[in-house]
Amino acid sequence: MSKASSAELPKTVDPYRLAEHNSDLEGEIPVRALSRFGDAVLGYDEGAVCHVKLQFYMDSERRRIVSGELEAQVKLECQRCMGAMVSLLTSRFVLGLVTSDEQAQRLPKDLEPFLTDDFSADLWSMVEDELLLVLPPYPLHERDECPAKEDLEAYEPDNASAEPEKRPGDNPFSVLAGLKNTKH
Ligand SMILES: [Zn+2]
């Protein structure tokens, strides 16, 4: 997506009116304004934004729909080395606009409900929910980029079978044990 368009995505809109007019919206949301999401990630650059494109329309059943895509770059905690990793989160979604749980129940299975008031919806909150949904539960660096990859290789079954006989030097703990022994 282009960095040229830096307009802020409107926060509150009438999504039903937008759907009836087949409107498109595109813009950015400062990540610092999304506090639930901000708390769920390790960090983000000063000035980081979530870029959002939305299409509002009516489907063949005259349901009001918002579909869209988003993209945000944040830092997550690699669960192998516990270090920071830069991650580009992206999502595509199609939501059916509803004003009650009863309407939500009637949506077909492939449409997630977006619960709104009669004439207004908080788009920032909707985008924040979508971001939280695409957060990986177990983020990991690419293997070659992870500072902990050598630890990992030491315990890999593949390596173990390639060299079945353990030598004292292979394992840092046995080296420590050896040092301890020399002291006594
Ligand atoms: Zn890592």
Side-chain angles (χ1 to χ4, degrees), residues 78 80-83 140-141 146-148:
C78 170
R80 189 187 294 132
C81 68
M82 300 299 152
L140 291 173
H141 279 120
C146 187

Side-chain angles (χ1 to χ4, degrees), residues 11 29 34 36 114 122-130:
K11 183 169 163 64
I29 305 173
L34 306 174
R36 286 180 294 140
F114 175 23
D122 183 339
L123 294 182
W124 288 21
S125 180
M126 181 270 278
V127 166
E128 185 165 32
D129 287 342
E130 294 300 321

Side-chain angles (χ1 to χ4, degrees), residues 40-181:
V41 300
L42 186 66
Y44 46 86
D45 289 343
E46 184 79 27
V49 295
C50 180
H51 197 103
V52 188
K53 281 185 188 173
L54 299 174
Q55 286 100 43
F56 296 81
Y57 57 93
M58 290 195 285
D59 71 5
S60 55
E61 310 279 323
R62 298 187 61 78
R63 283 181 291 250
R64 275 64 170 169
I65 308 292
V66 54
S67 75
E69 55 189 277
L70 57 80
E71 188 179 285
Q73 184 173 289
V74 293
K75 290 181 195 130
L76 304 176
E77 185 180 65
C78 170
Q79 297 302 296
R80 189 187 294 132
C81 68
M82 300 299 152
M85 55 180 279
V86 174
S87 182
L88 185 68
L89 299 177
T90 61
S91 174
R92 284 171 183 273
F93 46 89
V94 183
L95 309 173
L97 297 168
V98 295
T99 52
S100 68
D101 287 341
E102 194 189 0
Q103 282 183 9
Q105 302 288 335
R106 287 204 297 265
L107 286 177
K109 289 248 182 291
D110 57 341
L111 277 180
E112 289 294 319
F114 175 23
L115 188 63
T116 72
D117 294 335
D118 280 339
F119 300 107
S120 81
D122 183 339
L123 294 182
W124 288 21
S125 180
M126 181 270 278
V127 166
E128 185 165 32
D129 287 342
E130 294 300 321
L131 280 169
L132 288 165
L133 280 176
V134 294
L135 267 185
Y138 198 77
L140 291 173
H141 279 120
E142 290 296 323
R143 219 187 150 76
D144 290 343
E145 291 163 12
C146 187
K149 70 172 174 147
E150 283 166 20
D151 298 352
L152 190 77
E153 279 161 6
Y155 296 103
E156 287 270 296
D158 282 352
N159 285 10
S161 62
E163 276 192 58
E165 287 184 12
K166 283 196 175 164
R167 291 170 302 174
D170 282 345
N171 184 331
F173 295 105
S174 57
V175 173
L176 282 177
L179 289 174
K180 271 184 190 167
N181 286 341

Side-chain angles (χ1 to χ4, degrees), residues 14-25 55-58 62 64-65 97:
D14 177 348
Y16 296 92
R17 194 182 144 83
L18 290 173
E20 279 146 29
H21 290 83
N22 273 316
S23 302
D24 293 348
L25 285 181
Q55 286 100 43
F56 296 81
Y57 57 93
M58 290 195 285
R62 298 187 61 78
R64 275 64 170 169
I65 308 292
L97 297 168

